[in-house]
Amino acid sequence: MGNLQQTTGNGQQKTDNDTIAAIATPIGQAGIGIIRISGPLSAEIAEKTFRPQKPVQGLNSHHLYLGNFLDPSSGDMVDEVLLSFMKAPHSYTREDIVEINSHSGYLLLSRILQIILDQGARLARPGEFTLRAFLNGRIDLTQAEAVIDLINAKSDRGLHLASQQIQGTFRNEIEGLRQKAIDFLAHAEVAIDFPDEESEIISREKTSKRIGKEIVKPIEDLIEAQATKRLWVDGINTVIVGRVNAGKSSILNRLLNEQRAIVTAIPGTTRDIIESTITIEGLPLRLMDTAGFRNVKNEVERIGIHFTEQKLAEADFLLVVIDQSRPLNHNDHNIIAQSRGKNALIVINKIDLPSRLSKEAEHDAFSGLPIVKISALTGQGLDQLRKGISGCLLKGDIDVTSPDVAPNLRHRQALIDAAQFFKSAGRKAKKDAPMEIVAFELKSGLDALGKIIGETTTEEVLDSIFSQFCLGK
Ligand SMILES: Nc1nc2c(ncn2[C@@H]2O[C@H](COP(=O)(O)OP(=O)(O)OP(=O)(O)O)[C@@H](O)[C@H]2O)c(=O)[nH]1
Ligand SMILES: [Mg+2]
């Protein structure tokens, strides 16, 4: 537990006192760009660099001012800007914040930022504004993580889950479980202090049952919800596989409605994985086109096929493309065999050409698998393909009525640990183990839950979370 550090929402670990600044909007040409400053020097920097159009006595919090941004070293006007000031603690970071809306363009934004840095701010690290919001107790760790989910969400549902989490629904759920565990712990401690009265205070059998029902079961439900959430937030890993030249890239292009992947009559055209996100009937798909299967000697293509095999193994859903103008060969049979036991849709392509699939072969090879028939060339059957995809996904693992709160992978691990400890506490309570041991298991479970909200978190964990942020967030 050497480097376990308390970083509570009550600010036990303090942020440094630096004033930080960053460009908060994406680099590139856009209508406006925003530069954000947070920390004790914010207002002072604004006063040195900003001349409001109408003179004011100091900046009022949560007001928007029109004026000019100046370089104080030369007095030159840099841009006409809108400036707002959010006084601590009523701001994103709970520190004084100044935001400057300028015209956009990388050079202009960089110049404004440089002037701000010259006035004593330092460049913010990725996620540092949100880190400060966490360290200053405005949000807990689950809310900070939801900010990343919100930015990365691939579907309406993913957005909804992230926005729920930002509002603290998940945090409340975990806090509720922690409170229950604390109640049990209090009972256990009373029993330790007054051993003779133990039987009157709690019946061990009953306690064990209640720990199971009120703590372990809800934790297990949350663990289950994680799998669903991953699909909604990150998208369903959908991998298009098949023999070379079957029409995989043509199908990707058709679904995306653009010429994303190169299509040629040369077998082995695709080598790298080509990835794009689409939504089909509200379902977010991370669609991946892959190198076709065949026996190859060429090194580049061999690597491509190796990637395909990896993606195939990780896929949530497979589109298995079969070229009906060629009889099935051992590559087709192999791919079909690998897709059994997975959620897969057989896409028989090139129906504009005469079929060379024998009825028996078709019957045997595809038995029990859902099939759609299309022509990627003419577009025939494309609607059935979309329906087939959503049909497969909805009957599969994807719970459309998934809960409003759902953990991520980090939470999942902590929940699994917590469930173990609480289960063990329940078992030991029942078996008349010394109450000290029951209390110890309860405390360990509490610690595991505390990691989720950031009550007890190592510095490495914080680093790994906040490094996923972009600059200026
Ligand atoms: N007649 C016909 N030709 C098609 C159809 N779909 C694809 N093709 C053609 O088949 C050839 C291969 O298509 P691709 O989409 O590149 O096939 P692929 O599976 O991605 O091929 P690799 O990347 O080499 O594995 C091209 O000449 C396409 O124009 C179809 O439905 N009908
Ligand atoms: Mg291809």
Side-chain angles (χ1 to χ4, degrees):
M1 293 263 240
N3 55 359
L4 195 74
Q5 176 176 20
Q6 287 287 325
T7 52
T8 78
N10 306 322
Q12 286 183 4
Q13 183 203 306
K14 272 293 175 205
T15 62
D16 58 45
N17 215 22
D18 294 348
T19 297
I20 54 172
I23 300 171
T25 41
I27 299 305
Q29 291 181 333
I32 58 166
I34 299 176
I35 289 147
R36 195 184 234 178
I37 316 171
S38 178
L41 295 180
S42 302
E44 194 184 314
I45 293 174
E47 270 153 28
K48 281 191 203 155
T49 54
F50 179 69
R51 288 290 158 277
Q53 210 171 46
K54 294 183 193 138
V56 290
Q57 283 295 328
L59 295 168
N60 285 325
S61 186
H62 294 80
H63 278 63
L64 201 57
Y65 297 96
L66 175 67
N68 289 331
F69 187 86
L70 310 173
D71 181 347
S73 66
S74 61
D76 288 350
M77 173 196 160
V78 180
D79 192 17
E80 184 175 71
V81 301
L82 278 172
L83 181 141
S84 57
F85 172 55
M86 273 81 56
K87 193 161 177 48
H90 304 290
S91 74
Y92 186 67
T93 54
R94 279 206 172 157
E95 302 172 337
D96 282 354
I97 283 192
V98 165
E99 279 182 9
I100 298 168
N101 296 9
S102 70
H103 293 98
S104 189
Y106 181 61
L107 271 181
L108 175 63
L109 287 168
S110 305
R111 170 121 194 260
I112 295 175
L113 178 62
Q114 187 55 55
I115 292 168
I116 290 165
L117 300 181
D118 291 344
Q119 302 307 311
R122 77 162 162 78
L123 191 62
R125 290 182 280 270
E128 197 171 1
F129 293 93
T130 309
L131 175 66
R132 286 188 174 196
F134 164 67
L135 292 175
N136 291 328
R138 198 181 75 81
I139 56 174
D140 80 322
L141 214 44
T142 67
Q143 290 168 303
E145 288 170 303
V147 174
I148 309 177
D149 290 346
L150 198 66
I151 294 171
N152 293 338
K154 300 279 189 295
S155 69
D156 287 346
R157 184 82 207 172
L159 265 185
H160 173 74
L161 281 171
S163 105
Q164 289 288 312
Q165 192 166 314
I166 281 188
Q167 290 167 44
T169 39
F170 186 48
R171 168 196 196 154
N172 294 343
E173 188 104 0
I174 299 297
E175 292 283 17
L177 289 169
R178 274 168 57 87
Q179 198 46 56
K180 289 223 170 83
I182 287 169
D183 291 347
F184 283 114
L185 184 61
H187 281 301
E189 274 168 354
V190 171
I192 292 169
D193 293 343
F194 306 98
D196 298 342
E197 294 165 40
E198 184 187 331
S199 58
E200 288 174 30
I201 299 163
I202 41 167
S203 133
R204 280 170 169 265
E205 179 80 27
K206 210 164 127 199
T207 305
S208 169
K209 270 213 184 98
R210 280 187 55 204
I211 292 176
K213 187 164 154 254
E214 295 171 29
I215 302 184
V216 177
K217 175 72 171 67
I219 291 179
E220 284 172 345
D221 290 345
L222 284 173
I223 293 171
E224 231 170 73
Q226 184 270 332
T228 316
K229 169 175 175 164
R230 183 181 66 77
L231 299 180
W232 287 108
V233 173
D234 300 339
I236 300 154
N237 271 332
T238 304
V239 181
I240 309 177
V241 287
R243 232 167 111 186
V244 284
N245 246 355
K248 299 176 296 299
S249 301
S250 307
I251 290 171
L252 175 91
N253 291 346
R254 275 281 175 193
L255 286 172
L256 297 179
N257 222 352
E258 63 173 292
Q259 298 305 310
R260 177 81 173 72
I262 299 173
V263 168
T264 74
I266 305 164
T269 302
T270 308
R271 274 103 191 267
D272 282 323
I273 308 284
I274 298 175
E275 188 179 322
S276 248
T277 305
I278 55 163
T279 310
I280 291 182
E281 307 207 354
L283 300 164
L285 269 66
R286 273 175 61 195
L287 207 54
M288 281 168 261
D289 180 23
T290 60
F293 280 96
R294 68 167 165 177
N295 304 334
V296 279
K297 303 232 156 58
N298 174 323
E299 179 66 12
V300 181
E301 205 179 336
R302 208 197 322 271
I303 295 171
I305 292 177
H306 177 66
F307 283 155
T308 305
E309 276 165 347
Q310 269 179 349
K311 291 292 171 191
L312 201 154
E314 295 164 5
D316 299 312
F317 179 51
L318 293 176
L319 292 176
V320 179
V321 183
I322 304 288
D323 175 354
Q324 73 147 19
S325 70
R326 295 180 290 190
L328 296 179
N329 78 357
H330 73 279
N331 291 122
D332 294 304
H333 286 296
N334 259 343
I335 299 162
I336 296 166
Q338 288 190 62
S339 66
R340 291 206 177 264
K342 290 203 160 235
N343 195 351
L345 176 64
I346 302 285
V347 184
I348 295 185
N349 188 32
K350 306 200 186 179
I351 57 169
D352 55 297
L353 298 176
S355 174
R356 298 195 51 204
L357 299 176
S358 72
K359 276 273 167 274
E360 305 80 65
E362 206 175 321
H363 183 268
D364 292 350
F366 306 140
S367 70
L369 293 167
I371 299 179
V372 291
K373 298 192 174 188
I374 68 159
S375 166
L377 190 73
T378 65
Q380 193 189 344
L382 210 71
D383 276 351
Q384 282 95 311
L385 174 61
R386 290 209 183 84
K387 288 215 179 71
I389 291 173
S390 61
C392 281
L393 293 175
L394 293 175
K395 81 167 169 37
D397 305 336
I398 298 169
D399 180 0
V400 224
T401 57
S402 62
D404 275 346
V405 292
N408 64 22
L409 265 184
R410 185 185 72 82
H411 306 149
R412 178 190 166 85
Q413 195 48 55
L415 287 167
I416 290 173
D417 294 345
Q420 293 293 350
F421 289 123
F422 289 123
K423 263 190 203 152
S424 168
R427 260 197 318 271
K428 284 174 177 153
K430 201 161 133 188
K431 279 195 190 145
D432 280 339
M435 263 307 174
E436 283 83 354
I437 293 182
V438 177
F440 179 77
E441 299 286 2
L442 288 171
K443 274 187 200 140
S444 305
L446 265 167
D447 269 354
L449 289 179
K451 282 186 189 158
I452 294 174
I453 53 176
E455 197 74 32
T456 46
T457 316
T458 61
E459 194 130 9
E460 294 93 274
V461 172
L462 288 186
D463 282 350
S464 96
I465 291 172
F466 287 95
S467 63
Q468 297 170 48
F469 277 85
C470 38
L471 265 170
K473 192 64 218 175

